[in-house]
Amino acid sequence: MDRYRDFHHRSIHDREAFWRAEAALIDWHEPFREVLDFSRPPFSRWFVGGRTNLCHNAVDRHLKDRAAQPALVYLSTETGDRRIFTYAELHAEVNRMAAVLASLGVGRGDRVLVYMPMIAEAAFAMLACARIGAIHSVVFGGFAAASLAARIDDAQPKAMVTSDAGMRGGKPVPYKHLVDAALRLAKHPPAKVLIVDRGIDKAMARTSGRDVDYAELRAKHLSASVPCAWLESSEPSYILYTSGTTGTPKGVQRDTGGYAVALASSMRRIFAVPPGEAMFTTSDIGWVVGHSYIVYGPLINGSTTIMYEGLPIHPDPGIWWKIVAEHKVRTMFSSPTAIRVLKKQDPKYMRMHDVSSLERLFLAGEPLDEPTARWASESLGVAIVDNYWQTETGWPILSAQPGVEDTPRKFGSPSFPVYGYDVRLVDEATGRESGTDQKGVLTIAPPLPPGCMTTVWGDDERFVRTYFGTIPGKSLYSTFDWAIRDADGYYFVLGRTDDVINVAGHRLGTREIEEAVQSHSGVAEVAVVGVADTIKGQIPVAFAVLKDPSRAATADAAAAMRKEVMDAVDRQLGAIARPGQVHFVTLLPKTRSGKLLRRSIQALAEGRDPGDLTTIEDPGALEQIRAALAAR
């Protein structure tokens, strides 16, 4: 593995020369005068003084050589819609969207909140924001009104872009009514809401003076030509909210130049996708994978990107492989959860289409178990590349890097640190580095490489405290994940160290779910833990103390109350956060100082030893947990 080791070593020990070379993969309107400014640790500024634009690098610069090449392939098995946009056509659509946003008063530095289903116009909106120097904040469509309102108040957008509805499993998923509800809750609502009306929700309400129709405005700007705003490399490109251990989501702030360089580099070095080839990423634009490897990464690389609205099993479990066959997809990116869903289907669907074009299937989002990885590799006859990263980093931390060297892979391991990441495994209590096969917290020694978060939106202090203040005596970025490293240098990620759970690749704070459960007037107290699940990785399980225990005294009463609690979570956070189980108890296990013993509760729910209980206030509380679990 000499090529990999040398490449990684240079990226850490000769950052200046290494990243100067990688920066040549994108266009710069003005050259940078300094590769890295790390004068205010742990804050990093990459390619200081350089001016560039994400939209120019994703679209405009390819017009000379790739104008007629497909850039964006949009497919919906929900509506039957299928549209292919060449780079020239994508350029025209993005200019129209940019002109529309500008007509609504959106300019450089303004925020635009995007709350959209998986439709082409969502990508247009993101690219248009980048074009004019606005900062987009995409919110996943599965979040409910209260969660949306919290993000609106934090970002304070000048405008929103939404749609009447999405579709899932053949059923409409209304969006606009959730937007209306969120705006009633928000303290800082935007002045304008731009609506892409798909004609799905016939009863969609409109607010005069605030709501504007995209089709009408687009028609007025068909020949628009909007110049790119040339941003200094460190200017923000977007905000993407992620859950934390408190109920307040963190706005991950991304820069412009560093992100563009990281994506351009990763498309070549990690994903090994040549320009002109197709990449199919099955994520949602509301998540970081959708930002990096549906919208920006493939387009910056000059590839064809496929944007899919639909389920992996509709109209049948072979739909993804049909898309791979039809579009000669070379590289695919999905999640372990999705592959586990397909694993439950008739295996004939994995073999009914010609997937000979597919070279690699990348999987990330939650730990990938060896049986799932082996099954996918053998069923498709392709290489499986496990990789590990976070919303905060924007691109992989651990992965094989076949574009550098096609190193051997081990099932269940995301291989090695990616170049640019100075990864350390350390003891949580002492900060000392962990040895071979010793569990430690996965950390990164700063400076974080290009493309990683630069701060928490509007809160530098929270950025430092949350990410660099948890390892004793050392300023190390914590991923809040446990891992081990074997004798060959391969890493194995074991799970979270904090109270964030990973549901099908979506990070949810247990505190957020607890607050949603407690929004029910009948709940006095609640503990939510993440419990291992064979399909989703983890599911939230709630243990609630009711103000009136008689409301769960019978099986029918408990069932009714359970539904009310789940409905409360749906209203506050959305169905994505709905507990898989809700148990009713009369007290929760706590220490004598009042700390909730979440890890002990989780251990019992997973059938493990609950650990040291010498500090527990009332041992009967754990017995109630055991009894509730036994009765499920």
Side-chain angles (χ1 to χ4, degrees), residues 160-223:
M160 281 186 70
V161 185
T162 191
S163 178
D164 61 328
M167 295 282 290
R168 185 171 178 83
K171 298 178 180 178
V173 180
Y175 275 58
K176 177 57 165 51
H177 85 283
L178 288 171
V179 168
D180 292 339
L183 294 184
R184 287 192 293 270
L185 294 170
K187 299 181 181 68
H188 303 284
K192 296 292 182 181
V193 176
L194 181 65
I195 303 166
V196 178
D197 189 353
R198 307 176 74 191
I200 295 171
D201 184 1
K202 305 297 185 185
M204 178 180 63
R206 296 175 188 263
T207 299
S208 178
R210 185 196 71 188
D211 297 347
V212 290
D213 186 76
Y214 175 64
E216 291 180 10
L217 288 178
R218 177 182 176 276
K220 297 177 181 178
H221 297 283
L222 289 178
S223 57

Side-chain angles (χ1 to χ4, degrees), residues 84-105:
I84 298 178
F85 301 89
T86 64
Y87 272 96
E89 290 165 339
L90 179 60
H91 179 259
E93 292 293 350
V94 170
N95 272 273
R96 290 162 188 155
M97 180 68 83
V100 167
L101 291 175
S103 75
L104 300 180

Side-chain angles (χ1 to χ4, degrees), residues 56-92:
H56 167 82
N57 277 286
V59 183
D60 298 58
R61 72 169 177 154
H62 301 304
L63 296 177
K64 179 176 178 291
D65 299 320
R66 303 183 182 280
Q69 177 196 307
L72 173 65
V73 175
Y74 169 65
L75 302 166
S76 174
T77 52
E78 299 289 351
T79 64
D81 195 9
R82 174 191 173 97
R83 290 182 284 168
I84 298 178
F85 301 89
T86 64
Y87 272 96
E89 290 165 339
L90 179 60
H91 179 259

Side-chain angles (χ1 to χ4, degrees), residues 335-341 344 364-370 372 481 493-496 500-508 529-541 576 580-581 602 605-606 608:
S335 70
T337 294
I339 300 302
R340 291 184 195 114
V341 168
K344 295 174 68 177
E366 71 268 12
L368 174 63
D369 57 287
E370 180 176 345
T372 297
D481 276 310
V493 179
L494 305 177
R496 300 293 292 178
V500 173
I501 60 177
N502 196 324
V503 183
H506 308 150
R507 285 169 58 188
L508 300 169
V529 297
V531 176
D533 180 78
T534 55
I535 299 296
K536 295 183 177 181
Q538 284 183 301
I539 57 170
V541 173
I576 188 174
Q581 300 162 21
Q602 182 191 46
E606 293 181 342
R608 296 183 284 107

Side-chain angles (χ1 to χ4, degrees), residues 507-526:
R507 285 169 58 188
L508 300 169
T510 55
R511 177 75 174 275
E512 288 178 279
I513 305 173
E514 286 171 355
E515 289 178 1
V517 171
Q518 287 197 276
S519 70
H520 189 292
S521 60
V523 175
E525 196 175 11
V526 64

